[in-house]
Amino acid sequence: MNTASFIPPLLALALSPLLPGLINRTKAFFAGRRGPPLLQTYFDLWKLLHKGAVYSRTTTWVFRAGPMVGLAGVLAAALLMPLGGVPALIAFPADFLLFAGLLALARFATVVAALDTGSSFEGMGASREVFFSALAEPALLVALAALARQAGSLSLSTMLGLASGAPAWRVAPALALVVIALVIVLLAENARIPVDDPDTHLELTMIHEVMVLDHGGPDLAFILYGAALKLWLFTALVVGVVLPATGPAWWSLLLTAGAMLGGAVIVGVIESIMARLRLVIVPQLLVGAGALAATAFLLALK
Amino acid sequence: MPGTNIILALVVLTNLKLLGSSRLGASIRVVAAQGVVLGLLPILAHRQELSWYFVALAAGTIALKGGVFPWFLSRAVREAEVTREIEPCVGYSTSLVAGVLTLGASFWMCTRLPMPETIASPWLAPVSFFSIFTGLFLIVSRKRAVNQVLGFLVLENGVYTFGVGVASRTPLLVEAGVLLDVFVAVFVMGITIFHINREFDHIDTDRLSTLKD
Amino acid sequence: MTLLGLALAILLLGAMATVLLSRPGRSLSWLGAGAVAVAAALGCVPAARVLASGTVEQWRRPWPVPFGEFFVVLDPLSAWFLLPTLLLAALAAIYGVGYLRVWQGRRALGPVWFFYALLVLGMALVLLARNAVLFLCAWELMAVASFFLVTFEHEREAVRGAGWVYLVATHLGTAFLLAFFLLLGRATGSMDFTVWAATGASGGGLASVLFLLAVVGFGTKAGFMPFHVWLPEAHPAAPSHVSALMSGVMIKTGVYGLLRALTFLGPPPLWWGWMLIGIGLTSGVLGVLYALAQHDLKRLLAYHSVENIGIIALGLGVGLLGRSTGSPALQVLGFGGALLHVVNHALFKGLLFLGAGGVLHGAGTLEIDRLGGLGKRMPWTAATFLVGAVAISGLPPLNGFVSEFLILSGAFNGGAQLGGAIAVSLLAVIAGLALIGGLAAACFTKAFGIVFLGEPRSDHGVHAHEAGWTMRWPMLLLAAGCIFIGLAAPVVVGGMRTVLENVTGLPPAVVRTSLVAATGPLAWVVIATAALVLLFLALAVLRRGLLAGRRVEESVTWGCGYARPSARMQYTASSFAEPITTLFRGLLATRYQVQRPEGILPARASLATETPDLCRGNLYRPAFLQANWGLSKLRWLQHGQVRLYVLYIAVTLIVLMAWKFR
């Protein structure tokens, strides 16, 4: 564990709220609007941290603990994600299992807190959330299996940034499929169109938004920050697959950071040009992602 | 041993009498006599190696088979107010002929079996098998429950005969177990006969088959 | 070994005492539970000693039964299964004292404790026996004792039906076991397990037939699909502490039997591992799907046991593949994960069933859609149930994550390195386990959320009361166990060295290095867990500091302006699971009974769903109906006349003698 390993988590902590701002700005651009400032999420977090809180009488300690467990889980997962060729703080064989597990713990806490309010809105969001994540998990793990096979190693820090390895023509098809699968998983896990609409406030169409309907003040700040961090982590995963880790560390870090911001822009573009899918079509999308990842694995078998 | 052979002959005769008899009171007395006679078998068969074990066994057997069982069964017969067996499946004459044939078959069978050296008499095994078959025959062919209990007693007598005659030291557990078995069975049967009669006013086991579903 | 014998003797004496003494129910319960607890404490000592040192203790006495011998051996594999058996038996017994208090006046409790002690005795003997006859006798004892425990509330028709299904299923499985033992005994000429382990049946047809017989026979007890149909009937019907014991340890004796059988058979061909992986995937996925569709809390937990047995089967399959391909890492990780999941499942499933018992005791019903808001009225039960729910969903930092991590590590290891078809099967394991984990999380957020959170959906929940301390302590201890194994994972997995040597048959040095490759990552997992806890505490402190000077108010849940929200408007369990059950409706065949709202101002409407077990309806029911039709042709043989039955016996005897004398 060298001191350079502190950089990925620090960058994540500092820069992750930038990503939602970029996405919103991109969507505004496509809609012909000016859109909110790039640093809007930072301002929102600051505002929320300075507010009081209102709790429903129906809720118990579970509701109060939910956002904290959620954010703690995502923060711990950030310790596992490498960036731009710099290995993560915690790296060991099969560490992506812990990564997925920590995110699952965060999701569990959010869902249970949502059910604590005793409202049908939160129940609806919770039900859809567990449904989609149950289908997204296999896709994620199969994609990681394909990646592990290709890289011949089982740790995130060594699996990512491998595009610099084998000759491109042999590696490209499998990697392309993995990237597509991971992008679909990213969209599903982070509540982006076409799976969910982060801007809508119609109860019948919300998933993540509706689960946090009753939170306010610092709790909502934790949730918002956690969502931004989760988006950063998934984008880092995709960027790590696509981008080779060449040259000196500072150069690849800079390149990766730029690629992350570019990734946010791409997500914004996807959100702008696609419409939200009907909820019954989303499972097909996720299973399709899983199938693509499995194909990548089979291609990597040779 | 002449004493042993006399006893065995008596057993054969009592079995034949049972096969041919229709009166329940007489049948019970015959079985009692068979029991007493067989009670003397351990003493006569092992006259050289007499020990308290055999004397106790003889005394116990005579008491149970000669006294307790017949008394109990007579009481059951009196309560049920039956004196005669109704027409059995196999007629009395046919039963007698079958009995004699079975005796012959037992003798033939025992020539095929390897016999231990210490056996008290060459007639022992055939007679014991004959008793077993007679007992089974009585159970199968007679309809009155009391007769079936008598058949069971005869069956046990056959097993007992073979056991006592062959071994000089059968495990006490086996002997006691078999005796306890019969004791319990007779008691249970006695009580059951009483209750069947009280409930259905007859002890005809064939008519009891209406109980099946 | 004497300690173990003493423990077994105490169980037997306790059993006799509870049925022979006539005392008021309460002291009888304490007598029974005390006997089991003392026996468990005594028995755990030699088991732990054997596990730590790897030495084998044995005891051998002749037995008059033909081919039988009273031959018991305590080796690491038996010790690994014995520890959770005894611990859970003791904790469930203590729980049972409080749970059965409701029945004290109405029913004699002596027989319940008698059969409970006999069940524990039977399970212990099954794990220790090394003679086939002794094993089968103990197996039967286990089955019969648990039958009487399952039919405790026999005045209810559903319980009687469940008891019959259980009895028939377990005897069908035992028939296969009988065939297995007979074939093996005939091939080797002895009924002794140690002889079989030494010589065994290797190669070709006999080994494959034996494997199939073992899978069916032991799989029926374990609950593999499609032999699982008795599980969702019997476990809900039994009293809760018995359900905990049955689900937590009794089905694991099936897994133990399968592992022991594998030591008798030689090197496994590939298709054995694939078969177990297939069984694991079907049991796992279908089990959790059926669990999602259930309305009764205990039935949900019972189907979940099927799913977890599926996970154990997946681990066994991975281990077998490792043995076939000669990869020690796969073997150690696969078998290690399966064995650890055995212990983990005993802990958290026992905990969850005891929690369900607390719900039944406090609220009076187990229908999830009638409950709600129990978290405020039963805080301890809710907290321990939450620990169990997080553990069973396989989330860090608890123990479920550790065993699934091991199995997944093995699968990823093999998938990255091995070739061809094996890698594809391991990919199926990965995808399957991920799906199972996600669906399990869905199921348990539903179970915990709808039962304990929100508002009560009917009167049952309003007047609920917390369980007494005899019922709370076992749950707390089990929850502590889950947390402990999660936090001390490297130590626990390192302690499995002797068991793994026993099961895999690899030399100790190889096992040690492979185990280090497993405990190393687990140490990092624990470090990450510590980081998680620290971050949580930091956030809690931050939040408290932020809210210190601010206004914190209480209000109602936001209802989007509904004028009169009611508790019935909350999401129900069926609604929660509806997206998943609709997606998988081909597999679930749910029946809907809908009475739609009619008119302009509708007054009533209702919806009822029912998900009968597909295997039972489509596989067993037609088979049994066919058998019934065929066998009813023979009904003329049963005419009710005793003397003709004696004639059958006599004729058979004569025929046999004639045949012998020809």
Side-chain angles (χ1 to χ4, degrees):
Chain A
M1 176 158 63
N2 47 357
T3 47
S5 293
F6 278 98
I7 301 183
L10 285 176
L11 272 182
L13 288 177
L15 292 181
S16 50
L18 202 51
L19 294 184
L22 254 176
I23 295 177
N24 286 333
R25 210 42 193 269
T26 316
K27 290 204 296 196
F29 171 74
F30 269 85
R33 295 185 276 116
R34 255 198 82 175
L38 269 180
L39 301 179
Q40 181 61 39
T41 320
Y42 293 97
F43 300 148
D44 285 337
L45 286 172
W46 182 256
K47 173 187 76 176
L48 285 169
L49 283 174
H50 284 84
K51 283 193 159 191
V54 178
Y55 291 109
S56 159
R57 274 177 222 111
T58 314
T59 57
T60 62
W61 59 272
V62 176
F63 185 76
R64 290 152 177 77
M68 295 190 282
V69 176
L71 184 56
V74 180
L75 282 172
L79 296 174
L80 290 165
M81 182 58 72
L83 198 66
V86 178
L89 261 181
I90 299 180
F92 55 88
D95 55 7
F96 48 81
L97 291 175
L98 183 60
F99 179 76
L102 286 168
L103 291 178
L105 178 68
R107 188 185 314 124
F108 191 93
T110 316
V111 168
V112 160
L115 286 172
D116 200 9
T117 58
S119 154
S120 20
F121 302 124
E122 272 91 337
M124 200 182 297
S127 157
R128 291 167 182 171
E129 169 74 2
V130 294
F131 175 43
F132 293 150
S133 63
L135 294 173
E137 282 283 299
L140 177 66
L141 282 186
V142 170
L144 287 170
L147 212 54
R149 177 122 196 151
Q150 196 69 54
S153 98
L154 285 180
S155 171
L156 275 177
S157 304
T158 45
M159 277 189 331
L160 302 181
L162 73 99
S164 52
W169 63 267
R170 228 177 62 173
V171 157
L175 281 189
L177 290 175
V178 166
V179 166
I180 298 175
L182 283 177
V183 166
I184 296 177
V185 169
L186 183 157
L187 294 173
E189 291 276 349
N190 290 286
R192 300 276 141 205
I193 293 179
V195 175
D196 182 15
D197 192 344
D199 292 332
T200 181
H201 291 280
L202 292 172
E203 295 81 11
L204 295 177
T205 58
M206 294 189 274
I207 303 178
H208 287 81
E209 271 297 308
V210 73
M211 279 205 294
V212 301
L213 214 48
D214 265 79
H215 291 281
D219 293 331
L220 191 56
F222 290 161
I223 291 174
L224 203 60
Y225 189 58
L229 204 50
K230 195 166 159 186
L231 181 61
W232 173 274
L233 290 175
F234 271 97
T235 318
L237 187 62
V238 176
V239 164
V241 176
V242 170
L243 218 58
T246 53
W250 63 267
W251 169 242
S252 65
L253 264 180
L254 203 59
L255 202 60
T256 311
M260 298 282 287
L261 300 178
V265 171
I266 293 178
V267 171
V269 169
I270 295 177
E271 287 213 289
S272 308
I273 61 179
M274 286 187 77
R276 221 197 69 158
L277 290 174
R278 280 177 57 206
L279 286 175
V280 293
I281 310 288
V282 174
Q284 296 177 17
L285 180 70
L286 290 170
V287 171
L292 285 176
T295 317
F297 184 87
L298 291 173
L299 285 180
L301 266 185
K302 310 213 190 331
Chain B
M1 229 124 306
T4 320
N5 289 346
I6 296 175
I7 289 184
L8 292 175
L10 282 175
V11 168
V12 172
L13 288 174
T14 48
N15 280 339
L16 290 172
K17 172 88 172 83
L18 274 176
L19 283 172
S21 155
S22 70
R23 285 167 47 216
L24 286 176
S27 298
I28 294 176
R29 280 194 287 278
V30 165
V31 172
Q34 195 186 64
V36 168
V37 157
L38 280 177
L40 296 173
L41 188 58
I43 303 180
L44 287 180
H46 300 278
R47 212 174 302 168
Q48 305 92 316
E49 40 197 358
L50 209 55
S51 69
W52 283 114
Y53 168 71
F54 287 108
V55 174
L57 194 59
T61 313
I62 292 176
L64 270 180
K65 293 193 192 172
V68 176
F69 292 162
W71 171 79
F72 199 68
L73 285 173
S74 311
R75 212 183 70 150
V77 166
R78 235 189 348 265
E79 302 271 348
E81 289 166 15
V82 292
T83 45
R84 274 185 184 271
E85 169 72 58
I86 49 179
E87 196 58 38
C89 288
V90 185
Y92 294 109
S93 337
T94 326
S95 304
L96 269 177
V97 171
V100 172
L101 286 176
T102 316
L103 187 60
S106 309
F107 270 101
W108 170 81
M109 209 172 62
C110 291
T111 58
R112 308 287 300 246
L113 284 173
M115 283 293 147
E117 299 298 315
T118 59
I119 198 163
S121 152
W123 288 2
L124 190 84
V127 170
S128 63
F129 275 111
F130 174 58
S131 288
I132 293 174
F133 286 131
T134 308
L136 280 174
F137 191 84
L138 282 175
I139 293 177
V140 172
S141 65
R142 299 299 144 95
K143 291 187 183 167
R144 280 259 143 79
V146 177
N147 256 324
Q148 293 174 354
V149 178
L150 291 176
F152 182 69
L153 280 173
V154 170
L155 175 69
E156 195 271 333
N157 281 346
V159 174
Y160 171 83
T161 313
F162 191 81
V164 165
V166 165
S168 58
R169 196 120 198 97
T170 45
L172 183 59
L173 207 58
V174 175
E175 285 292 343
V178 175
L179 207 56
L180 184 65
D181 231 351
V182 181
F183 185 75
V184 169
V186 172
F187 260 90
V188 169
M189 270 316 294
I191 297 170
T192 313
I193 289 174
F194 171 68
H195 279 289
I196 291 176
N197 181 58
R198 204 170 62 158
E199 191 69 26
F200 295 100
D201 281 330
H202 65 86
I203 49 171
D204 180 4
T205 54
D206 260 5
R207 282 161 64 184
L208 287 178
S209 68
T210 54
L211 286 171
K212 80 168 166 90
D213 51 18
Chain C
M1 206 61 199
T2 47
L3 272 181
L4 204 52
L6 193 59
L8 294 178
I10 290 183
L11 277 175
L12 195 58
L13 286 174
M16 311 295 338
T18 51
V19 82
L20 290 175
L21 299 173
S22 68
R23 293 160 150 264
R26 175 155 176 169
S27 42
L28 209 55
S29 290
W30 277 114
L31 177 63
V36 175
V38 168
L42 284 177
C44 282
V45 173
R49 194 171 52 213
V50 165
L51 260 185
S53 62
T55 54
V56 168
E57 302 182 16
Q58 70 174 45
W59 192 67
R60 209 173 183 143
R61 285 288 174 276
W63 202 21
V65 174
F67 297 116
E69 198 186 6
F70 210 85
F71 185 22
V72 293
V73 170
L74 185 62
D75 68 358
L77 182 61
S78 301
W80 181 260
F81 279 86
L82 195 62
L83 271 177
T85 306
L86 292 176
L87 282 172
L88 193 60
L91 290 174
I94 298 175
Y95 182 91
V97 173
Y99 184 78
L100 290 174
R101 200 170 293 165
V102 194
W103 297 94
Q104 251 165 251
R106 298 190 258 163
R107 194 181 297 231
L109 291 180
V112 178
W113 291 108
F114 174 68
F115 286 118
Y116 189 89
L118 279 187
L119 176 62
V120 181
L121 180 65
M123 286 196 288
L125 271 180
V126 162
L127 294 174
L128 294 170
R130 292 291 181 273
N131 172 282
V133 177
L134 180 63
F135 186 89
L136 281 174
C137 286
W139 194 262
E140 265 307 294
L141 177 65
M142 216 170 60
V144 171
S146 50
F147 167 73
F148 283 111
L149 285 172
V150 165
T151 53
F152 173 62
E153 295 183 48
H154 50 79
E155 59 273 358
R156 283 170 47 195
E157 164 105 37
V159 171
R160 284 202 302 270
W164 283 126
V165 170
Y166 174 54
L167 200 60
V168 169
T170 187
H171 280 106
L172 279 180
T174 313
F176 282 90
L177 281 187
L178 198 60
F180 175 79
F181 285 134
L182 284 177
L183 275 181
L184 203 47
R186 206 176 63 145
T188 54
S190 117
M191 282 283 180
D192 197 325
F193 282 21
T194 46
V195 170
W196 289 353
T199 60
S202 42
L206 183 61
S208 298
V209 169
L210 287 173
F211 177 71
L212 285 172
L213 285 175
V215 165
V216 176
F218 288 117
T220 310
K221 178 64 77 178
F224 291 163
M225 266 205 190
F227 318 119
H228 69 288
V229 289
W230 60 274
L231 243 169
E233 307 290 333
H235 287 195
S240 304
H241 65 298
V242 173
S243 306
L245 192 62
M246 282 174 69
S247 216
V249 278
M250 201 186 72
I251 55 181
K252 305 309 185 322
T253 54
V255 176
Y256 164 80
L258 190 57
L259 277 171
R260 188 61 70 185
L262 283 174
T263 60
F264 302 152
L265 309 171
L270 277 175
W271 67 267
W272 289 9
W274 285 337
M275 179 171 208
L276 277 181
I277 289 181
I279 290 177
L281 285 176
T282 41
S283 306
V285 176
L286 284 178
V288 75
L289 282 177
Y290 275 107
L292 270 166
Q294 299 306 315
H295 304 297
D296 177 290
L297 188 58
K298 275 212 226 169
R299 242 182 117 91
L300 183 147
L301 292 174
Y303 269 112
H304 247 282
S305 295
V306 175
E307 172 227 325
N308 278 290
I309 289 288
I311 297 180
I312 297 177
L314 279 176
L316 290 179
V318 170
L320 273 183
L321 279 183
R323 197 184 282 180
S324 309
T325 55
S327 155
L330 259 188
Q331 278 194 60
V332 165
L333 289 172
F335 283 123
L339 286 170
L340 188 60
H341 204 77
V342 164
V343 172
N344 287 344
H345 184 242
L347 287 179
F348 50 65
K349 191 44 73 68
L351 173 60
L352 288 169
F353 264 110
L354 294 185
V359 169
L360 181 60
H361 180 89
T365 177
L366 280 171
E367 272 225 44
I368 304 180
D369 286 334
R370 299 247 178 279
L371 296 169
L374 290 181
K376 294 199 209 43
R377 294 156 178 85
M378 309 169 72
W380 291 95
T381 312
T384 48
F385 197 93
L386 180 62
V387 172
V390 173
I392 203 172
S393 308
L395 300 173
L398 297 179
N399 54 355
F401 177 73
V402 179
S403 45
E404 286 188 22
F405 180 86
L406 286 176
I407 301 178
L408 276 173
S409 272
F412 270 101
N413 230 317
Q417 291 165 0
L418 299 173
I422 303 176
V424 173
S425 55
L426 289 175
L427 185 72
V429 170
I430 293 170
L433 264 179
L435 182 63
I436 291 171
L439 290 174
C443 190
F444 271 95
T445 47
K446 168 187 122 172
F448 178 71
I450 309 283
V451 170
F452 289 101
L453 302 176
E455 291 292 338
R457 288 172 180 75
S458 75
D459 286 331
H460 289 283
V462 177
H463 303 292
H465 61 274
E466 175 67 270
W469 276 103
T470 40
M471 287 168 69
R472 265 184 258 175
W473 270 112
M475 293 200 283
L476 285 171
L477 286 173
L478 285 172
C482 289
I483 299 176
F484 171 73
I485 294 189
L487 292 179
V491 173
V492 173
V493 173
M496 288 174 63
R497 186 179 47 88
T498 48
V499 192
L500 286 172
E501 281 171 27
N502 208 331
V503 167
T504 58
L506 292 170
V510 178
V511 172
R512 199 171 304 136
T513 44
S514 305
L515 214 52
V516 164
T519 54
L522 283 177
W524 280 113
V525 169
V526 172
I527 293 177
T529 306
L532 177 74
V533 171
L534 281 176
L535 286 165
F536 174 76
L537 290 174
L539 286 172
V541 166
L542 177 65
R543 176 175 164 272
R544 170 141 322 173
L546 284 173
L547 287 178
R550 313 268 164 73
R551 273 171 64 188
V552 178
E553 291 172 358
E554 293 219 330
S555 170
V556 291
T557 306
W558 189 69
C560 194
Y562 281 147
R564 260 189 285 178
S566 82
R568 287 287 311 277
M569 284 187 196
Q570 293 174 100
Y571 241 52
T572 61
S574 325
S575 344
F576 193 90
E578 191 266 348
I580 304 182
T581 53
T582 311
L583 179 65
F584 289 102
R585 63 182 166 278
L587 293 169
L588 287 176
T590 311
R591 290 202 279 261
Y592 291 88
Q593 278 170 301
V594 187
Q595 189 191 357
R596 296 183 182 281
E598 289 165 4
I600 298 179
L601 296 172
R604 322 188 51 88
S606 73
L607 169 72
T609 60
E610 198 206 332
T611 313
D613 196 311
L614 208 65
C615 287
R616 195 163 165 210
N618 290 9
L619 196 66
Y620 288 100
R621 192 172 162 72
F624 282 136
L625 283 176
Q626 194 71 7
N628 194 23
W629 174 85
L631 290 174
S632 59
K633 306 272 183 200
L634 292 175
R635 198 165 280 176
W636 60 269
L637 276 176
Q638 279 193 312
H639 34 61
Q641 294 182 15
V642 179
R643 56 194 187 85
L644 287 181
Y645 296 155
V646 177
L647 182 62
Y648 294 157
I649 299 174
V651 166
T652 315
L653 273 175
I654 293 173
V655 164
L656 280 174
M657 278 202 286
W659 183 46
K660 196 66 187 158
F661 289 142
R662 64 187 156 82

